[in-house]
């Protein structure tokens, strides 16, 4: 979709006005606060560039920061883009409003990292009616596939299976296969594909072991702060926890603080086996110290694939509906071999 320069200038004006409406800012002293949540400067539109609106979930984790940086450094002027970056601020209504705003501006492409799967139908339909291709990235949407162009991200359910399989093999290696294993799970945001998939994958494996007992599953929204607070509560309620599975590294980092404060030992030489997801650089350091035992990789570097998809669409080429990124599993045993090549 090509829009003339004059029209694009008008779009900038509409964009500025609608952003004010969308993110609300009556008093001048509030202005910087609300602007900070959206993009910093308005791009100068030109037909040379492809205008892409990218709606991020927020800043809930280090994984997210790596994902945001990847998009910012891929969708650059050098690569031929006007990027409109919108921070969803962990608010799904805000994400939907931002999407509607991008549609009314008739941007060339929209990329969404949905916080939750639900609620996207009407906006996807509106984008389709305007002929704007929508790329869903990272988490998924619960909508008919005919309403969006493609999805790019991780196989969350497989990640859940991988984590439980690692646990199974580890318990076998230390001769604990037949012991009762008391498990606590820190879950990610309710309704987010990353949480739904990982929980499903984990549960499918856990069910195969009669002696694996899930003491509690609690939502800590993928954040370090909530990971700590929720773990503090859990530690007051349960003793003799054998395994803590955290659906991302940041919640695990928080939970580790809670365990330290409560005098509960964890890791290779401790009482609680620590299993996590994402495989952040900090997770590698903790694995090398033996504090974190395994982290199932979740690759945030998906902007490159999104760029490829757009280039193919521009060239009129076919693209796959579902595009998975490559991922591995790292543990305290092999973290040292890989830490230097980690990019996030
Ligand atoms: O694991 C977590 C986060 O959706 C895959 O979101 C993503 C998850 C990631 O913030 O750290």
């Amino acid at each position: 979709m090509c829009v003339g320069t004059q029209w694009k200038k008008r779009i900038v004006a509409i964009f500025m006005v609608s952003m004010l409406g969308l993110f609300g800012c009556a008093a001048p002293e509030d202005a910087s606060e609300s602007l900070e949540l959206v993009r910093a400067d308005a791009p100068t539109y030109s037909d040379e560039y492809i205008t892409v609106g990218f709606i991020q979930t927020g800043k809930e984790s280090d994984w997210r920061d790596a994902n945001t940086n990847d998009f910012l450094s891929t969708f650059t002027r050098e690569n031929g883009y006007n990027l409109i970056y919108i921070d969803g601020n962990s608010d799904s209504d805000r994400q939907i409003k931002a999407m509607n705003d991008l549609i009314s501006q008739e941007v060339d492409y929209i990329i969404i990292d949905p916080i939750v799967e639900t609620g996207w139908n009407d906006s996807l339909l509106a984008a389709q009616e305007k002929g704007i291709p929508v790329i869903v990235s990272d988490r998924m949407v619960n909508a008919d596939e005919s309403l969006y162009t493609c999805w790019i991200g991780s196989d969350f359910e497989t990640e859940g299976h991988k984590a439980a399989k690692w646990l199974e093999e580890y318990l076998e290696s230390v001769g604990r296969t037949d012991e009762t294993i008391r498990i606590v799970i820190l879950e990610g945001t309710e309704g987010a594909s990353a949480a739904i998939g990982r929980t499903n994958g984990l549960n499918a494996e856990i069910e195969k072991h009669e002696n694996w007992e899930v003491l509690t599953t609690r939502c800590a929204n993928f954040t370090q702060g909530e990971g700590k607070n929720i773990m503090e509560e859990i530690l007051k309620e349960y003793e003799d926890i054998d395994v803590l599975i955290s659906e991302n590294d940041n919640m695990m980092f928080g939970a580790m603080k809670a365990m330290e404060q409560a005098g509960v030992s964890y890791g290779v030489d401790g009482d609680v086996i620590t299993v996590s997801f994402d495989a952040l650089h900090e997770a590698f350091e903790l694995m090398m110290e033996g504090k974190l035992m395994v982290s199932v990789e979740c690759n945030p570097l998906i902007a490159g694939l999104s760029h490829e998809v757009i280039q193919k669409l521009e060239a009129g080429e076919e693209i796959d509906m579902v595009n998975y990124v490559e991922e591995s599993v790292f543990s305290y045993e092999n973290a040292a071999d890989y830490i230097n090549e980690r990019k996030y």
Side-chain angles (χ1 to χ4, degrees):
M1 179 181 317
C2 272
V3 184
T5 316
Q6 284 310 313
W7 178 229
K8 285 191 170 173
K9 280 186 188 142
R10 279 160 59 196
I11 289 174
V12 174
I14 295 166
F15 175 77
M16 299 305 276
V17 170
S18 55
M19 277 298 163
L20 292 180
L22 172 53
F23 302 108
C25 52
E29 59 268 34
D30 294 332
S32 62
E33 208 183 314
S34 42
L35 280 177
E36 202 185 274
L37 301 169
V38 195
R39 66 196 163 92
D41 47 3
T44 333
Y45 288 95
S46 149
D47 277 342
E48 283 169 60
Y49 300 108
I50 299 170
T51 300
V52 173
F54 172 53
I55 310 173
Q56 184 53 287
T57 62
K59 302 188 187 75
E60 75 280 0
S61 67
D62 292 317
W63 186 100
R64 188 61 56 194
D65 291 347
N67 180 254
T68 300
N69 291 336
D70 190 36
F71 275 91
L72 296 183
S73 60
T74 301
F75 287 89
T76 56
R77 285 300 172 90
E78 295 73 54
N79 285 339
Y81 297 99
N82 280 314
L83 177 68
I84 302 173
Y85 165 73
I86 298 170
D87 182 342
N89 206 22
S90 296
D91 176 345
S92 25
D93 290 342
R94 179 186 162 94
Q95 281 201 308
I96 305 281
K97 285 179 193 159
M99 168 110 171
N100 295 340
D101 198 61
L102 290 171
I103 295 167
S104 69
Q105 290 175 72
E106 303 197 22
V107 295
D108 297 321
Y109 293 89
I110 296 175
I111 304 176
I112 49 175
D113 274 26
I115 297 169
V116 292
E117 295 184 351
T118 49
W120 293 96
N121 244 64
D122 292 349
S123 308
L124 289 171
L125 199 61
Q128 192 169 62
E129 278 165 7
K130 285 261 174 98
I132 305 172
V134 177
I135 297 169
V136 181
S137 107
D138 168 24
R139 302 176 189 171
M140 296 168 210
V141 287
N142 188 352
D144 196 88
E145 283 193 355
S146 64
L147 290 178
Y148 54 95
T149 306
C150 68
W151 169 82
I152 305 169
S154 307
D155 188 339
F156 301 119
E157 192 157 334
T158 298
E159 289 176 358
H161 282 277
K162 285 180 185 170
K165 281 277 170 207
W166 179 89
L167 179 62
E168 186 183 83
E169 280 164 28
Y170 175 75
L171 291 171
E172 203 179 301
S173 73
V174 291
R176 295 179 66 183
T177 305
D178 300 323
E179 259 179 49
T180 297
I181 302 295
R182 292 159 57 87
I183 301 172
V184 160
I185 301 177
L186 288 181
E187 241 183 336
T189 306
E190 212 176 300
S193 320
I196 297 169
R198 286 169 191 165
T199 303
N200 287 345
L202 286 168
N203 285 343
E205 296 296 331
I206 289 170
E207 276 166 18
K208 294 181 191 165
H209 300 268
E210 274 180 13
N211 56 326
W212 289 16
E213 185 192 340
V214 177
L215 299 176
T216 185
T217 300
R218 302 273 175 92
C219 171
N221 277 316
F222 288 124
T223 72
Q224 196 153 327
E226 284 181 76
K228 179 170 181 285
N229 294 344
I230 301 290
M231 194 61 193
E232 279 170 3
E233 284 172 21
I234 293 173
L235 290 169
K236 283 182 202 146
E237 290 168 45
Y238 299 95
E239 286 183 346
D240 301 329
I241 298 167
D242 295 302
V243 182
L244 169 62
I245 303 177
S246 168
E247 288 184 358
N248 82 348
D249 287 335
N250 282 95
M251 294 189 292
M252 177 60 87
F253 302 156
M256 284 174 166
K257 286 262 155 12
M259 289 193 280
E260 279 156 32
Q261 282 170 10
V264 172
S265 68
Y266 60 86
V268 183
D269 300 318
D271 290 331
V272 181
I273 298 167
T274 42
V275 177
S276 178
F277 296 83
D278 280 357
L280 300 171
H281 199 273
E282 195 176 340
F284 271 74
E285 287 167 0
L286 289 168
M287 285 191 278
M288 285 166 65
E289 287 173 45
K291 289 183 172 171
L292 179 60
M293 298 183 63
V294 66
S295 190
V296 175
E297 185 181 31
C298 181
N299 189 351
L301 309 179
I302 42 187
L305 271 177
S306 314
H307 166 56
E308 269 175 40
V309 162
I310 290 178
Q311 293 307 315
K312 281 190 182 168
L313 289 171
E314 289 286 302
E317 290 172 27
E318 289 282 304
I319 47 154
D320 295 329
M321 188 66 209
V322 173
N323 302 269
Y324 289 115
V325 283
E326 280 181 35
E327 300 176 324
S328 188
V329 178
F330 300 99
S331 74
Y332 69 96
E333 288 173 307
N334 67 8
D337 300 336
Y338 295 98
I339 189 163
N340 291 332
E341 50 189 75
R342 301 301 294 164
K343 295 198 178 74
Y344 58 94

